[in-house]
Amino acid sequence: MDEETAARLGAWRRHLHAHPELSTEERETAAFVAARLDEMGIPFVAGVGGHGVVATLSRPGSERSVALRADMDALPIPEETNLAHASTRPGVMHACGHDGHTASLLGAALLLARDASWRGTVRLVFQPAEEGGGGPRAMLADGLIERFPFERIFGFHNWPGLEAGTVMVHPGPVMAAGRRFSVTLHGKAAHAALPHLAKDPMLAAAHLMLALQSIVARNVSPLDAAVVTIGMIEAGNAPNQIPETATLRGTFRSYREEVHELIDGAIRRIAEGIAASFGMTAEIAMLRGNLATINTREEAELAAAAAAAAGLSVRRDLAPSMTGEDFSWYLQKKPGTFAWIGNGTNEGGRDLHSPHYDFNDAILPAAATFLAASARAALEE
Ligand code: NI
C-alpha cells in the first residue's frame, strides 16, 4: 500500500477513535463509513440490523461472492491514553480496536476498487454491536444473507502482543463460546451485631465463590478448555448491617456445546445447593452469549496462503483464545475464517479492553491487504 493511502487510513482511524459510540448507537460511525463509501463511489445499504452498513463491489465475469466484515462499536471504558486523538466522549472508548477494524475494511474497499484484476462480488459488512449487543443476529435477522448473498466470509481482530502486522490463522477453533450468568442469594437482613436473626447472603456468597472454582477443576475434562470467572460481587449497604441479598455476576467460556451445558448445569446445582445449605434461595440467570468461533479448514488455508502471497508475515502456531467474538454467528451460516493481526507490543497496558489501549495505525496496510487478498483468493477459486 502506498504511503498516501496508509496516511489516509490512519487519519480515518484516529477520527473514529476520537468519536467512539457504544453498541447499537453507532449512528455517526455508520454515517462516516457511508460518506467514505460515497467518496469511493461504492454503492451501499445502510440501516441493516440497526446501524449496519453493507457495501457491494461487483465485477461481471464470475458468479463467486465473498464477504468481508468489520465491527464498529466502542466500549463503556474511560480512556486514559492522553493521546491527541483520544476519545472526546467521556466514559466511551475504542478500547478493542474496532476503529482500526472499520478503517481497515475501508482500506480493503480502496484496494479492491483500484484493482481491476478480480471478478465476482465482494460484500463489505460494517457490523454494529459486537460488544454484547447482538450485531450479527440483528443483521442476519434483517436478511443479510438473503439480501446480500455471499459464499464465504473473512474478518480479523487486532492482537496485542503479536508482532505488528503479522497474520495468525488458526486451522479450526479461534475464540471461545461464552455465557454470562448471575446468582442472587436471597437471605434475611439484620443488625450486624445480631447475626442469629439474619440469614447472611454474604457468607453464602463467599462459599459459593469458592465452590464455583470446583467446576472446571472437578467437572470439566482436563483435556477440554474452560474457564469460570466471577467478575462482580454486589452486596451490602452498611458496615454494621447484614444485607438481604448478595449477587455474583460472572462469565464462563468453553469450546464445545457439551462443556457449555455441563458448566451451566453445575453453576445451577452448586448455587442452589449452597443456598439451601444456608437456608436461603438462589435466583439464577443465564444470558446466551457468543458461540465458539471456529474457522473452516479450507478457508483458513486459503486466507493464510493469500496473506503470504500478498507479502504479509503469517504465523500458524498460536493457541486459540478463551475470549469471545460474535463473528461466530456468521460461521454458523457460511464457511470462513477469522484471523488475528498483530497490534505490536502490549506493554504499557496496550491490551484489549484496557484504558491504555490504542489500535496501531502502522498495521492498517497489513490489515487492509489481508482482507483484500482473502477476498480475491476466495473469488479466484
Ligand atoms: Ni473486539
Side-chain angles (χ1 to χ4, degrees), residues 31 43 56 73 76 94 116 136 160 186 203 212 216 222 225 228 259 308 317 335 353 381:
T56 300
D73 55 331
H94 268 298
H186 291 275
L203 181 61
L212 289 173
V216 174
V228 177
V259 178
D317 59 332
H353 295 211
E381 279 218 336

Side-chain angles (χ1 to χ4, degrees), residues 71 96 98 101 130-131 157 325:
D71 41 13
C96 202
H98 299 184
H101 302 167
E130 196 283 324
E131 303 286 359
H157 207 291
E325 167 61 53

